Amino acid sequence: MERIFNFSAGPAALPLEVLEQARDELVNWHGCGMSVMEMSHRGKEYMSIQADAEADLRELLGIPANYKVLFLQGGASAQFAMVPMNLLRGKASADYLNTGEWSKKAIKEAKKYGQVNVVATSEDKNFSYAPTQDAWKLDPNAAYVHYTSNETIGGVELFWTPQTGDVPLVADMSSNILSRPIDVEKFGLIYFGAQKNVGPAGLTIVIVRDDLIGQTVKGTPTMFDYAIHAENDSMYNTPPTYAIYIAGLVFKMLKAKGGLAAMEKTNRAKAKLLYDALDASSFFISPVAPENRSLMNIPFTLKDAALDDEFIKAAKARGMIQIKGHRSVGGMRASIYNAMPIEGVQALVDLMRDFEKQHG
Ligand SMILES: *Cc1c(COP(=O)(O)O)cnc(C)c1O
Protein backbone atom coordinates (compact mmCIF):
# COMPACT_ATOMS: atom_id res chain seq x y z
CA MET A 1 0.00 0.00 0.00
CA GLU A 2 1.07 3.57 -0.74
CA ARG A 3 1.93 5.81 2.21
CA ILE A 4 -0.53 8.66 2.63
CA PHE A 5 0.13 12.26 3.59
CA ASN A 6 -0.90 12.38 7.24
CA PHE A 7 -1.53 15.92 8.52
CA SER A 8 -2.46 14.77 12.04
CA ALA A 9 -1.53 17.05 14.96
CA GLY A 10 -0.52 14.06 17.06
CA PRO A 11 0.18 11.23 17.18
CA ALA A 12 1.66 12.36 13.91
CA ALA A 13 3.55 11.06 10.88
CA LEU A 14 6.97 9.54 11.53
CA PRO A 15 9.86 9.55 9.04
CA LEU A 16 9.51 6.58 6.68
CA GLU A 17 13.21 5.70 6.97
CA VAL A 18 12.82 5.40 10.75
CA LEU A 19 9.79 3.13 10.44
CA GLU A 20 11.65 0.98 7.93
CA GLN A 21 14.68 0.65 10.16
CA ALA A 22 12.44 -0.23 13.12
CA ARG A 23 10.73 -2.86 10.95
CA ASP A 24 14.08 -4.35 9.91
CA GLU A 25 15.19 -4.52 13.55
CA LEU A 26 11.82 -5.45 15.03
CA VAL A 27 12.35 -9.09 15.97
CA ASN A 28 16.12 -9.16 16.25
CA TRP A 29 17.92 -5.97 17.26
CA HIS A 30 21.54 -5.86 16.04
CA GLY A 31 21.81 -9.64 16.14
CA CYS A 32 21.04 -9.96 19.85
CA GLY A 33 18.14 -12.32 19.13
CA MET A 34 15.35 -10.24 20.62
CA SER A 35 13.25 -7.16 20.02
CA VAL A 36 13.95 -3.88 21.79
CA MET A 37 10.46 -4.34 23.28
CA GLU A 38 11.61 -7.54 25.01
CA MET A 39 14.83 -6.21 26.53
CA SER A 40 15.39 -5.65 30.21
CA HIS A 41 15.71 -1.92 30.74
CA ARG A 42 18.76 -2.67 32.89
CA GLY A 43 20.48 -4.86 30.32
CA LYS A 44 23.52 -3.58 28.44
CA GLU A 45 21.75 -3.53 25.05
CA TYR A 46 18.89 -1.32 26.15
CA MET A 47 21.13 0.87 28.34
CA SER A 48 23.20 1.65 25.24
CA ILE A 49 20.05 2.58 23.28
CA GLN A 50 18.90 5.05 25.93
CA ALA A 51 22.38 6.49 26.43
CA ASP A 52 22.72 7.04 22.67
CA ALA A 53 19.29 8.69 22.50
CA GLU A 54 20.23 11.10 25.27
CA ALA A 55 23.64 11.88 23.75
CA ASP A 56 22.13 12.54 20.33
CA LEU A 57 19.40 14.78 21.75
CA ARG A 58 22.03 16.71 23.72
CA GLU A 59 24.03 17.19 20.54
CA LEU A 60 21.03 18.24 18.42
CA LEU A 61 19.79 20.83 20.90
CA GLY A 62 23.20 21.83 22.31
CA ILE A 63 22.09 20.97 25.86
CA PRO A 64 24.68 22.21 28.42
CA ALA A 65 26.15 19.75 30.96
CA ASN A 66 24.30 21.35 33.91
CA TYR A 67 20.95 20.34 32.43
CA LYS A 68 19.32 16.95 33.07
CA VAL A 69 17.47 15.11 30.32
CA LEU A 70 14.60 13.04 31.73
CA PHE A 71 12.63 10.38 29.83
CA LEU A 72 9.23 10.27 31.50
CA GLN A 73 5.60 9.27 30.89
CA GLY A 74 2.24 10.92 31.47
CA GLY A 75 2.40 13.28 28.52
CA ALA A 76 2.83 17.03 28.58
CA SER A 77 -0.40 16.97 30.60
CA ALA A 78 1.43 15.44 33.57
CA GLN A 79 4.02 18.22 33.27
CA PHE A 80 1.25 20.76 33.85
CA ALA A 81 1.33 19.43 37.45
CA MET A 82 4.98 18.40 37.75
CA VAL A 83 6.26 21.85 36.85
CA PRO A 84 4.56 23.66 39.76
CA MET A 85 5.15 20.73 42.17
CA ASN A 86 8.90 20.91 41.50
CA LEU A 87 9.60 24.52 40.59
CA LEU A 88 7.52 26.55 43.05
CA ARG A 89 10.32 25.89 45.58
CA GLY A 90 8.55 27.56 48.49
CA LYS A 91 7.49 30.60 46.49
CA ALA A 92 3.86 31.71 46.49
CA SER A 93 3.21 32.23 42.80
CA ALA A 94 4.22 31.60 39.20
CA ASP A 95 3.75 33.68 36.04
CA TYR A 96 1.92 32.22 33.02
CA LEU A 97 1.36 33.57 29.51
CA ASN A 98 -2.03 32.61 28.09
CA THR A 99 -1.97 32.07 24.32
CA GLY A 100 -4.59 29.37 23.89
CA GLU A 101 -5.96 25.95 24.77
CA TRP A 102 -2.71 24.39 26.03
CA SER A 103 -1.74 27.46 28.07
CA LYS A 104 -5.18 27.39 29.66
CA LYS A 105 -4.77 23.76 30.71
CA ALA A 106 -1.32 24.46 32.18
CA ILE A 107 -2.71 27.43 34.12
CA LYS A 108 -5.68 25.47 35.44
CA GLU A 109 -3.44 22.72 36.79
CA ALA A 110 -0.85 25.08 38.31
CA LYS A 111 -3.60 26.79 40.31
CA LYS A 112 -3.87 23.60 42.39
CA TYR A 113 -0.39 24.20 43.82
CA GLY A 114 0.05 27.96 44.04
CA GLN A 115 -1.07 31.34 42.91
CA VAL A 116 -0.99 31.93 39.16
CA ASN A 117 -0.39 35.37 37.72
CA VAL A 118 -1.44 35.54 34.05
CA VAL A 119 1.12 37.99 32.64
CA ALA A 120 -0.80 38.55 29.41
CA THR A 121 -3.51 36.87 27.35
CA SER A 122 -4.59 36.92 23.73
CA GLU A 123 -8.12 35.78 24.56
CA ASP A 124 -9.42 39.19 23.40
CA LYS A 125 -8.73 38.18 19.79
CA ASN A 126 -9.67 34.52 20.06
CA PHE A 127 -6.03 33.47 20.68
CA SER A 128 -4.97 34.47 17.16
CA TYR A 129 -1.66 36.05 18.24
CA ALA A 130 0.88 36.11 21.09
CA PRO A 131 1.18 39.27 23.23
CA THR A 132 4.64 40.86 22.87
CA GLN A 133 6.69 41.14 26.02
CA ASP A 134 6.08 44.91 26.48
CA ALA A 135 2.46 43.93 27.28
CA TRP A 136 3.42 41.35 29.95
CA LYS A 137 3.08 42.10 33.65
CA LEU A 138 5.95 40.02 35.06
CA ASP A 139 6.36 39.53 38.81
CA PRO A 140 10.05 39.62 39.87
CA ASN A 141 9.20 37.31 42.81
CA ALA A 142 7.55 34.63 40.69
CA ALA A 143 8.95 31.12 41.04
CA TYR A 144 9.09 30.79 37.22
CA VAL A 145 7.53 32.07 34.00
CA HIS A 146 5.65 29.53 31.86
CA TYR A 147 4.64 29.83 28.22
CA THR A 148 3.59 27.58 25.34
CA SER A 149 6.07 28.14 22.51
CA ASN A 150 3.66 26.74 19.91
CA GLU A 151 -0.08 26.46 20.45
CA THR A 152 -0.84 23.28 18.54
CA ILE A 153 -4.58 23.98 18.25
CA GLY A 154 -4.54 27.70 17.45
CA GLY A 155 -1.38 27.56 15.31
CA VAL A 156 0.26 30.43 17.24
CA GLU A 157 4.06 30.25 17.63
CA LEU A 158 6.50 32.55 19.42
CA PHE A 159 9.64 33.14 17.37
CA TRP A 160 11.39 35.06 20.15
CA THR A 161 12.49 33.98 23.61
CA PRO A 162 10.98 35.85 26.57
CA GLN A 163 13.47 37.72 28.77
CA THR A 164 12.80 36.89 32.41
CA GLY A 165 16.04 37.89 34.13
CA ASP A 166 16.73 35.67 37.14
CA VAL A 167 13.27 34.08 37.08
CA PRO A 168 13.54 30.66 35.38
CA LEU A 169 11.78 30.40 32.03
CA VAL A 170 9.67 27.26 31.44
CA ALA A 171 8.35 26.26 28.02
CA ASP A 172 5.89 23.67 26.76
CA MET A 173 7.52 22.83 23.42
CA SER A 174 5.42 19.76 22.67
CA SER A 175 4.65 20.75 19.09
CA ASN A 176 7.72 22.68 17.94
CA ILE A 177 10.71 21.04 19.62
CA LEU A 178 13.33 19.94 17.05
CA SER A 179 11.71 22.07 14.33
CA ARG A 180 14.49 24.69 14.56
CA PRO A 181 17.49 25.46 16.80
CA ILE A 182 16.83 26.89 20.28
CA ASP A 183 19.12 28.29 22.96
CA VAL A 184 18.55 25.87 25.86
CA GLU A 185 20.61 28.05 28.20
CA LYS A 186 17.87 30.68 28.19
CA PHE A 187 15.47 28.20 29.82
CA GLY A 188 15.12 26.72 33.28
CA LEU A 189 12.99 23.89 31.97
CA ILE A 190 11.67 22.65 28.62
CA TYR A 191 9.15 19.82 28.27
CA PHE A 192 7.47 18.05 25.39
CA GLY A 193 5.42 14.97 24.63
CA ALA A 194 7.03 12.87 21.91
CA GLN A 195 4.01 12.19 19.70
CA LYS A 196 4.08 15.45 17.74
CA ASN A 197 7.59 15.91 16.38
CA VAL A 198 9.78 13.31 18.10
CA GLY A 199 8.42 9.76 18.16
CA PRO A 200 5.57 7.57 19.39
CA ALA A 201 3.09 8.50 22.12
CA GLY A 202 3.99 7.38 25.63
CA LEU A 203 7.26 9.29 26.02
CA THR A 204 7.60 12.75 27.55
CA ILE A 205 10.98 14.48 27.69
CA VAL A 206 12.00 17.08 30.27
CA ILE A 207 15.17 19.16 30.00
CA VAL A 208 15.82 20.91 33.32
CA ARG A 209 18.64 22.98 34.83
CA ASP A 210 19.98 20.91 37.71
CA ASP A 211 19.87 23.63 40.39
CA LEU A 212 16.07 23.87 40.06
CA ILE A 213 15.24 20.33 41.18
CA GLY A 214 14.97 18.62 44.56
CA GLN A 215 12.61 21.03 46.33
CA THR A 216 9.16 19.57 45.67
CA VAL A 217 5.96 20.66 47.40
CA LYS A 218 4.90 18.53 50.36
CA GLY A 219 3.03 15.40 49.33
CA THR A 220 4.57 15.17 45.84
CA PRO A 221 4.42 11.53 44.70
CA THR A 222 7.83 9.96 44.15
CA MET A 223 7.07 9.51 40.46
CA PHE A 224 6.42 13.26 40.13
CA ASP A 225 9.78 14.30 41.58
CA TYR A 226 12.31 15.32 38.89
CA ALA A 227 15.20 14.72 41.31
CA ILE A 228 14.27 11.04 41.67
CA HIS A 229 14.29 10.55 37.90
CA ALA A 230 17.53 12.52 37.54
CA GLU A 231 19.31 10.50 40.25
CA ASN A 232 18.22 7.27 38.58
CA ASP A 233 19.00 8.19 34.95
CA SER A 234 15.28 7.96 34.13
CA MET A 235 15.27 4.35 35.39
CA TYR A 236 13.65 4.75 38.78
CA ASN A 237 10.90 2.64 37.25
CA THR A 238 10.60 1.03 33.83
CA PRO A 239 10.96 3.73 31.18
CA PRO A 240 8.93 3.59 27.91
CA THR A 241 11.73 1.65 26.24
CA TYR A 242 10.35 1.18 22.74
CA ALA A 243 9.27 4.84 22.44
CA ILE A 244 12.75 5.94 23.56
CA TYR A 245 14.31 3.62 20.96
CA ILE A 246 12.20 5.11 18.14
CA ALA A 247 12.90 8.67 19.34
CA GLY A 248 16.60 7.74 19.29
CA LEU A 249 16.32 6.66 15.65
CA VAL A 250 14.65 10.00 14.85
CA PHE A 251 17.51 11.88 16.56
CA LYS A 252 20.12 9.97 14.51
CA MET A 253 18.18 10.68 11.32
CA LEU A 254 17.99 14.42 12.14
CA LYS A 255 21.73 14.52 12.79
CA ALA A 256 22.41 12.78 9.47
CA LYS A 257 20.22 15.34 7.69
CA GLY A 258 22.24 18.29 8.98
CA GLY A 259 20.63 18.91 12.37
CA LEU A 260 18.12 21.53 13.39
CA ALA A 261 19.43 24.37 11.21
CA ALA A 262 18.72 22.19 8.19
CA MET A 263 15.28 21.27 9.60
CA GLU A 264 14.44 24.94 10.06
CA LYS A 265 15.27 25.69 6.43
CA THR A 266 13.00 22.91 5.19
CA ASN A 267 10.24 23.75 7.68
CA ARG A 268 10.27 27.43 6.67
CA ALA A 269 10.02 26.49 3.00
CA LYS A 270 7.12 24.12 3.69
CA ALA A 271 5.19 26.65 5.79
CA LYS A 272 5.80 29.45 3.28
CA LEU A 273 4.36 27.34 0.50
CA LEU A 274 1.11 26.92 2.41
CA TYR A 275 0.84 30.44 3.88
CA ASP A 276 1.55 32.00 0.46
CA ALA A 277 -1.29 29.94 -1.00
CA LEU A 278 -3.63 31.04 1.81
CA ASP A 279 -2.68 34.71 1.38
CA ALA A 280 -3.03 34.62 -2.41
CA SER A 281 -6.63 33.44 -2.13
CA SER A 282 -9.74 35.07 -0.70
CA PHE A 283 -11.39 31.65 -0.66
CA PHE A 284 -9.11 30.32 2.12
CA ILE A 285 -8.34 32.31 5.26
CA SER A 286 -5.53 32.10 7.87
CA PRO A 287 -6.84 33.35 11.22
CA VAL A 288 -3.36 33.84 12.77
CA ALA A 289 -1.39 37.12 12.98
CA PRO A 290 1.47 36.96 10.42
CA GLU A 291 4.23 37.34 13.05
CA ASN A 292 2.92 34.33 15.02
CA ARG A 293 2.10 31.93 12.22
CA SER A 294 3.26 28.50 13.31
CA LEU A 295 5.68 26.56 11.12
CA MET A 296 4.19 23.31 12.45
CA ASN A 297 0.40 23.63 12.78
CA ILE A 298 -1.44 25.68 10.19
CA PRO A 299 -5.15 26.23 10.77
CA PHE A 300 -7.21 27.74 7.97
CA THR A 301 -10.87 28.22 7.18
CA LEU A 302 -12.94 28.21 4.01
CA LYS A 303 -14.91 31.40 3.38
CA ASP A 304 -17.93 29.14 3.09
CA ALA A 305 -17.80 26.71 6.04
CA ALA A 306 -20.55 24.65 4.39
CA LEU A 307 -17.84 23.36 2.03
CA ASP A 308 -15.60 22.04 4.84
CA ASP A 309 -16.75 18.45 4.60
CA GLU A 310 -16.41 18.43 0.83
CA PHE A 311 -12.85 19.77 1.09
CA ILE A 312 -11.94 17.06 3.59
CA LYS A 313 -13.43 14.43 1.29
CA ALA A 314 -11.55 15.79 -1.72
CA ALA A 315 -8.32 15.70 0.30
CA LYS A 316 -8.92 12.09 1.27
CA ALA A 317 -9.51 11.16 -2.37
CA ARG A 318 -6.00 12.50 -3.11
CA GLY A 319 -4.33 10.63 -0.23
CA MET A 320 -4.34 13.39 2.40
CA ILE A 321 -5.87 12.73 5.81
CA GLN A 322 -6.40 14.38 9.20
CA ILE A 323 -6.84 17.94 7.94
CA LYS A 324 -10.04 18.61 9.84
CA GLY A 325 -9.54 21.46 12.33
CA HIS A 326 -9.69 20.93 16.09
CA ARG A 327 -13.27 20.83 17.34
CA SER A 328 -12.72 24.04 19.33
CA VAL A 329 -11.63 26.03 16.25
CA GLY A 330 -13.35 24.39 13.25
CA GLY A 331 -12.19 24.66 9.64
CA MET A 332 -8.98 22.87 8.70
CA ARG A 333 -5.60 22.33 10.28
CA ALA A 334 -2.54 21.04 8.49
CA SER A 335 0.16 19.82 10.86
CA ILE A 336 3.42 19.73 8.95
CA TYR A 337 6.03 18.49 11.40
CA ASN A 338 9.57 17.44 10.41
CA ALA A 339 8.31 14.14 8.97
CA MET A 340 5.93 15.79 6.46
CA PRO A 341 7.77 16.03 3.13
CA ILE A 342 7.38 19.19 1.04
CA GLU A 343 5.60 17.00 -1.54
CA GLY A 344 2.74 16.60 0.97
CA VAL A 345 2.40 20.36 1.38
CA GLN A 346 2.53 20.80 -2.40
CA ALA A 347 -0.26 18.23 -2.80
CA LEU A 348 -2.39 20.21 -0.34
CA VAL A 349 -1.69 23.50 -2.12
CA ASP A 350 -2.57 21.88 -5.47
CA LEU A 351 -5.85 20.64 -4.01
CA MET A 352 -6.65 24.12 -2.65
CA ARG A 353 -6.10 25.65 -6.08
CA ASP A 354 -8.28 23.05 -7.84
CA PHE A 355 -10.99 23.22 -5.17
CA GLU A 356 -11.17 27.02 -5.42
CA LYS A 357 -11.43 26.82 -9.22
CA GLN A 358 -14.31 24.44 -8.84
CA HIS A 359 -16.19 26.18 -6.01
CA GLY A 360 -14.83 29.73 -5.82
C1 LIG B 1 -0.39 17.70 22.61
C2 LIG B 1 0.00 18.79 23.53
C3 LIG B 1 -0.12 18.68 24.93
C4 LIG B 1 -0.71 17.45 25.60
O1 LIG B 1 0.06 16.36 25.39
P1 LIG B 1 -0.32 14.92 26.03
O2 LIG B 1 0.85 14.10 25.67
O3 LIG B 1 -1.58 14.49 25.37
O4 LIG B 1 -0.49 15.11 27.48
C5 LIG B 1 0.29 19.74 25.71
N1 LIG B 1 0.81 20.86 25.17
C6 LIG B 1 0.94 21.01 23.83
C7 LIG B 1 1.53 22.27 23.29
C8 LIG B 1 0.55 19.98 22.98
O5 LIG B 1 0.68 20.13 21.64
Side-chain angles (χ1 to χ4, degrees):
M1 186 202 150
E2 280 279 300
R3 292 271 296 169
I4 48 167
F5 291 125
N6 177 7
F7 291 90
S8 171
L14 284 163
L16 180 59
E17 60 263 56
V18 164
L19 294 175
E20 286 174 340
Q21 185 178 348
R23 176 199 58 201
D24 294 346
E25 298 177 343
L26 180 66
V27 300
N28 184 357
W29 182 82
H30 294 199
C32 77
M34 61 183 157
S35 172
V36 174
M37 272 182 266
E38 303 168 299
M39 292 176 182
S40 161
H41 59 295
R42 305 199 188 278
K44 72 174 191 320
E45 291 93 351
Y46 177 74
M47 300 265 280
S48 77
I49 289 171
Q50 186 166 313
D52 275 7
E54 178 175 339
D56 288 336
L57 181 63
R58 282 184 178 276
E59 188 180 328
L60 277 170
L61 284 169
I63 302 174
N66 63 323
Y67 284 70
K68 302 288 187 189
V69 174
L70 309 177
F71 295 110
L72 308 177
Q73 301 182 58
S77 300
Q79 293 311 308
F80 295 163
M82 278 179 88
V83 165
M85 284 174 142
N86 286 268
L87 294 202
L88 276 172
R89 295 166 295 138
K91 294 187 183 252
S93 70
D95 282 353
Y96 277 72
L97 177 69
N98 185 7
T99 49
E101 298 307 318
W102 291 116
S103 300
K104 282 200 282 187
K105 286 201 165 147
I107 289 167
K108 189 173 172 213
E109 193 71 8
K111 281 181 175 168
K112 295 183 175 176
Y113 305 98
Q115 209 177 304
V116 169
N117 167 38
V118 176
V119 296
T121 173
S122 52
E123 200 155 13
D124 58 332
K125 289 189 184 155
N126 200 26
F127 297 119
S128 59
Y129 72 104
T132 49
Q133 197 171 331
D134 53 336
W136 296 22
K137 286 197 186 64
L138 287 168
D139 171 6
N141 295 315
Y144 59 88
V145 181
H146 178 284
Y147 78 112
T148 310
S149 60
N150 183 63
E151 285 282 359
T152 320
I153 293 171
V156 169
E157 184 165 3
L158 270 80
F159 293 99
W160 46 277
T161 308
Q163 306 280 320
T164 57
D166 289 339
V167 181
L169 181 62
V170 176
D172 176 357
M173 295 198 183
S174 292
S175 51
N176 68 346
I177 191 74
L178 303 182
S179 65
R180 53 188 169 91
I182 52 166
D183 189 354
V184 173
E185 220 149 27
K186 291 188 173 149
F187 296 86
L189 188 149
I190 293 166
Y191 65 90
F192 46 97
Q195 73 272 26
K196 313 289 171 50
N197 203 22
V198 175
L203 167 64
T204 311
I205 299 179
V206 172
I207 300 164
V208 60
R209 215 176 65 211
D210 57 12
D211 62 290
L212 296 175
I213 62 178
Q215 302 165 67
T216 49
V217 300
K218 197 162 171 275
T220 297
T222 307
M223 279 296 291
F224 270 40
D225 184 344
Y226 293 134
I228 294 286
H229 294 289
E231 282 158 22
N232 291 280
D233 293 324
S234 303
M235 292 208 193
Y236 172 74
N237 73 322
T238 316
T241 52
Y242 200 75
I244 292 168
Y245 156 70
I246 298 285
L249 296 183
V250 170
F251 300 153
K252 279 209 193 309
M253 183 273 302
L254 290 175
K255 274 174 56 180
K257 283 194 171 172
L260 301 190
M263 288 325 296
E264 172 165 20
K265 220 169 139 216
T266 314
N267 286 328
R268 285 199 182 273
K270 281 154 53 186
K272 184 173 187 312
L273 186 58
L274 186 44
Y275 284 118
D276 282 353
L278 291 169
D279 287 343
S281 145
S282 55
F283 189 78
F284 298 98
I285 300 148
S286 161
V288 180
E291 65 276 17
N292 293 122
R293 287 177 170 180
S294 170
L295 300 182
M296 297 282 99
N297 309 98
I298 304 184
F300 60 94
T301 55
L302 270 66
K303 213 167 66 185
D304 179 3
L307 290 172
D308 282 5
D309 286 346
E310 198 160 335
F311 185 80
I312 290 162
K313 249 173 57 192
K316 194 159 181 219
R318 293 193 188 187
M320 289 173 270
I321 63 153
Q322 297 286 354
I323 57 157
K324 193 177 167 66
H326 189 270
R327 58 190 182 279
S328 68
V329 180
M332 314 297 153
R333 173 178 50 171
S335 294
I336 54 170
Y337 301 115
N338 288 347
M340 173 61 67
I342 196 154
E343 291 77 16
V345 183
Q346 186 63 55
L348 179 57
V349 168
D350 291 346
L351 168 69
M352 287 162 60
R353 184 198 57 215
D354 296 347
F355 195 82
E356 179 169 358
K357 258 191 220 147
Q358 201 181 342
H359 298 276

